[in-house]
């Protein structure tokens, strides 16, 4: 009887481990990036662009429902990677502020871009990758 119980426990453990490994191999890279990006946003971006992504009118541009993010993908990545200064037009409003470079690595820039372009009514199925970010120069 003990042998049967031990065998059943071993079998159940094997099934659980196998299922977990299969789930890991089937994870969604975009969803994982968005999750990491949420943490980066909270640490670096939320003080200006706010938890709801709406920014501060005429001071910090909105990221929520932002036409700029989707229409200007490369410029958006460049702004996060190197900082932003000069005029930009977001949802018909001109912003001329300064955003200092945050010192993020290329993978962190990709993750925060994936988060903000898939939050607050933004939708972007095309994942921003570390490789894409690395090719963007000042």
């Amino acid at each position: 009887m003990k042998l049967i119980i031990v065998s059943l426990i071993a079998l159940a453990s094997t099934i659980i481990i196998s299922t977990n490994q299969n789930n890991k191999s089937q994870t969604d890279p975009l969803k994982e990036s968005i999750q990491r990006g949420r943490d980066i946003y909270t640490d670096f971006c939320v003080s200006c662009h706010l938890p709801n992504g709406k920014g501060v009118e005429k001071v910090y541009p909105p990221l929520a429902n932002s036409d700029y993010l989707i229409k200007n993908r490369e410029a958006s990545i460049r702004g996060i990677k190197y900082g932003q200064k000069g005029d930009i037009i977001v949802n018909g409003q001109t912003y001329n502020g300064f955003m200092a470079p945050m010192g993020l690595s290329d993978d962190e820039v990709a993750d925060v871009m994936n988060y903000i372009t898939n939050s607050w009514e933004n939708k972007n199925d095309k994942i921003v990758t570390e490789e894409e970010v690395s090719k963007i120069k000042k």
Side-chain angles (χ1 to χ4, degrees):
M1 186 65 165
K2 286 183 181 180
L3 181 59
I4 293 173
I5 292 172
V6 169
S7 295
L8 288 175
I9 291 171
L11 178 61
S13 296
T14 302
I15 291 170
I16 290 170
I17 290 169
S18 175
T19 300
N20 286 342
Q21 287 174 345
N22 285 339
N23 287 343
K24 286 180 185 174
S25 66
Q26 295 175 1
T27 56
D28 182 344
L30 178 57
K31 286 182 182 177
E32 289 176 351
S33 179
I34 290 169
Q35 182 62 40
R36 291 187 304 267
R38 177 181 295 128
D39 293 337
I40 295 164
Y41 183 85
T42 299
D43 289 344
F44 292 91
C45 313
V46 75
S47 60
C48 296
H49 296 286
L50 307 180
N52 61 8
K54 291 187 178 180
V56 176
E57 189 175 352
K58 298 183 183 178
V59 181
Y60 302 117
L63 302 174
N65 197 22
S66 171
D67 63 348
Y68 185 85
L69 287 173
I70 303 304
K71 292 178 183 176
N72 300 284
R73 180 179 174 110
E74 186 174 325
S76 297
I77 294 168
R78 185 178 293 106
I80 294 169
K81 186 173 179 175
Y82 297 112
Q84 174 72 46
K85 65 181 177 180
D87 285 354
I88 62 170
I89 299 172
V90 182
N91 299 341
Q93 175 73 47
T94 300
Y95 291 86
N96 186 1
F98 174 76
M99 182 175 83
M102 301 291 133
L104 299 175
S105 63
D106 289 348
D107 63 317
E108 290 171 323
V109 171
D111 288 342
V112 80
M113 271 295 291
N114 286 319
Y115 173 66
I116 64 177
T117 59
N118 285 286
S119 298
W120 317 298
E121 298 182 44
N122 297 320
K123 185 67 179 152
N124 178 29
D125 292 327
K126 185 179 177 216
I127 189 168
V128 177
T129 64
E130 179 180 358
E131 180 182 7
E132 178 183 2
V133 173
S134 72
K135 292 177 181 176
I136 296 187
K137 305 300 178 202
K138 227 174 187 178

